Amino acid sequence: MFNWLQHFADWFIYSALGIGAETHLGVALNFFVYDTLKILILLFVIVFIMGIVNAYFPIERLKDYLNKKKLYGLEYFFSSIFGAITPFCSCSSVPLFIGFVQGGIPLGVTFSFLITSPLVNEVAVAMFIGMFGVKATLIYVASGILLGTIGGWLLGKFNLEPLLSDWVKQILKNKMQQAQFEEEHKTFYQRLPEITNGAWDIVKSVLLYVIIGIAIGAAMHGYVPENFFSAYLGGGEWWTVPIAVLVAVPMYANAAGIVPVIQVFVAKGVPLGTAIAFMMATVGLSIPEATLLKKVMSLKLIAIFFGVVTLCIILSGYVFNILL
């Protein structure tokens, strides 16, 4: 979908600026240009679509439906499935998270998507089958969906809505535009300028967070060597799983990009379960993601989210090592 952006980033960094593709600076800048453009485009498109949805399907109707219908926890599972079929990294998932919150979807259900989306995607699955076989792939996919379902359910039980940022609370309180749409019965083309301006306002309000977060990720992507971690995680001791997860959290990569690194880890003696836990922490939790989420969550809520998901991934790592 975004191959044209990658071609542009390659041309701009390696040809127009003349920075070598083999240099750390070149890799970092290429990553920064590509991910910044991709996330800003995703953010605008998704918020624009949610603006249309909100105009025709007010927040209260969605909340009432989810509150009155007894789905017995399946809403978390369905959200995780949706996350698994969307090919986004952790930072790319944040625009959808903002759109979901803006649309009035319960926070726990939204967290299920946010957890699973970066962990599982079709490209990573295809690579996983080729590198590690069907059994490991099935365990990886099932665990990613299960993590999202359980993590979202747990977070949903904590009543965390008061810990959303003031910016999000203001968006949720501001229903005057929706009421105006319904009362005036405007056509789609009459509503389009207001919806477009609303989407652009949200993009502008999070632009600084996007740039800072991706810049951190680009620096890590370009300058942290792969063998830095594999040398310390190959012993198989009980503490290597939590160490692998905690060390991976500051990192940033998408699932497809980290799978070849995991193959190197395993080839150098790191247990496959420990390597998968490292991968999940890398793609599912990161400092750049936390920076982006700061616009929509308080620091306390970010800490709770990261803590729950980190614990789930550590437990999964032990299970992986037993099963694999």
Side-chain angles (χ1 to χ4, degrees):
M1 187 193 313
F2 293 103
N3 287 340
W4 63 276
L5 277 180
Q6 187 61 69
H7 293 320
F8 171 77
D10 292 344
W11 168 82
F12 182 68
I13 300 300
Y14 303 144
S15 298
L17 296 183
I19 301 174
E22 71 285 353
T23 64
H24 293 301
L25 180 62
V27 172
L29 289 178
N30 185 290
F31 186 93
F32 176 79
V33 171
Y34 170 75
D35 253 44
T36 299
L37 293 176
K38 181 184 73 172
I39 290 174
L40 290 178
I41 291 171
L42 278 171
L43 180 60
F44 179 82
V45 170
I46 292 165
V47 173
F48 178 81
I49 292 172
M50 289 305 301
I52 296 174
V53 172
N54 289 339
Y56 290 94
F57 192 72
I59 289 174
E60 288 304 314
R61 292 184 191 173
L62 181 59
K63 284 185 175 179
D64 290 343
Y65 177 83
L66 291 172
N67 288 332
K68 292 178 181 178
K69 296 293 182 179
K70 294 294 184 180
L71 298 180
Y72 302 103
L74 287 177
E75 63 270 29
Y76 301 100
F77 176 72
F78 293 145
S79 182
S80 293
I81 292 291
F82 180 61
I85 63 176
T86 52
F88 299 143
C89 62
S90 58
C91 288
S92 299
S93 302
V94 173
L96 266 178
F97 179 88
I98 294 174
F100 286 179
V101 173
Q102 182 190 10
I105 295 176
L107 195 56
V109 177
T110 305
F111 273 127
S112 288
F113 166 82
L114 186 64
I115 294 169
T116 304
S117 181
L119 295 183
V120 182
N121 66 63
E122 65 274 16
V123 176
V125 169
M127 296 173 66
F128 228 82
I129 291 176
M131 293 179 180
F132 304 114
V134 175
K135 178 183 177 181
T137 302
L138 290 176
I139 293 174
Y140 153 64
V141 173
S143 61
I145 294 173
L146 189 62
L147 275 178
T149 302
I150 295 175
W153 179 80
L154 284 173
L155 290 164
K157 296 299 182 182
F158 291 162
N159 188 29
L160 300 174
E161 284 76 6
L163 298 181
L164 289 169
S165 69
D166 292 338
W167 177 74
V168 173
K169 292 177 183 176
Q170 186 60 39
I171 288 178
L172 296 178
K173 288 180 181 178
N174 186 14
K175 303 175 185 175
M176 294 181 61
Q177 186 180 36
Q178 289 178 253
Q180 183 182 14
F181 285 161
E182 289 191 320
E183 291 172 3
E184 297 179 2
H185 300 289
K186 291 182 178 181
T187 67
F188 175 75
Y189 291 105
Q190 290 174 321
R191 300 178 182 190
L192 194 58
E194 296 174 73
I195 295 172
T196 303
N197 290 335
W200 179 236
D201 287 341
I202 290 178
V203 171
K204 289 190 294 185
S205 66
V206 301
L207 180 60
L208 179 62
Y209 294 87
V210 170
I211 292 175
I212 293 174
I214 297 174
I216 295 171
M220 293 177 177
H221 186 78
Y223 287 93
V224 177
E226 295 174 3
N227 60 0
F228 179 81
F229 299 105
S230 60
Y232 300 98
L233 303 177
E237 292 84 356
W238 69 267
W239 45 263
T240 56
V241 173
I243 291 297
V245 172
L246 294 176
V247 167
V249 168
M251 303 286 290
Y252 175 47
N254 59 41
I258 199 66
V259 170
V261 178
I262 297 306
Q263 186 182 32
V264 174
F265 281 15
V266 174
K268 293 185 177 182
V270 176
L272 181 55
T274 305
I276 294 177
F278 177 90
M279 182 191 76
M280 285 187 161
T282 302
V283 301
L285 300 169
S286 66
I287 291 177
E289 180 188 17
T291 305
L292 292 175
L293 288 174
K294 181 63 179 69
K295 184 63 181 178
V296 295
M297 301 182 191
S298 66
L299 288 174
K300 183 177 180 180
L301 179 52
I302 293 174
I304 293 172
F305 168 62
F306 271 50
V308 169
V309 178
T310 298
L311 179 61
C312 288
I313 293 176
I314 290 173
L315 294 176
S316 298
Y318 289 120
V319 174
F320 295 152
N321 280 335
I322 293 173
L323 297 178
L324 299 174

